Amino acid sequence: MADIKAGKGTRKFVQTTAVNRTEAAAAQAAGIDILSRVDRDLVEAGVSAPDRFTTAALMASDYEN
C-alpha cells in the first residue's frame, strides 16, 4: 500500500484480472501493480502473487438465496 500511496500522481499503475494461480504468478513476474480477483480466489492469489496489491469482486451469484 505504501508503494501505491507514494506513487499517486507521479506514475501510472497497471491493473489486470487474474483468474487462476498461473495468471497471478505471470502478472507478478510482469510487474503488474494491482490484481483484480474474484473473492473465492483470494487465497490462491496470495500464494501466487504475494507482493501484489489485490482487490476482490464479490460475485452476486455466489450469495443468492
Side-chain angles (χ1 to χ4, degrees):
M1 191 69 178
D3 295 353
I4 293 172
K5 284 184 174 184
K8 185 176 180 181
T10 62
R11 64 174 286 244
K12 292 188 178 192
F13 294 93
V14 179
Q15 180 173 349
T16 192
T17 300
V19 297
N20 58 45
R21 183 180 295 226
T22 303
E23 289 181 4
Q28 179 166 318
I32 302 295
D33 300 299
I34 303 168
L35 289 180
S36 295
R37 301 295 303 246
V38 176
D39 62 337
R40 64 180 169 263
D41 297 331
L42 282 176
V43 172
E44 186 174 317
V47 170
S48 306
D51 298 344
R52 300 300 99 179
F53 183 80
T54 302
T55 62
L58 300 174
M59 300 303 293
S61 59
D62 291 344
Y63 299 96
E64 293 178 343
N65 292 329

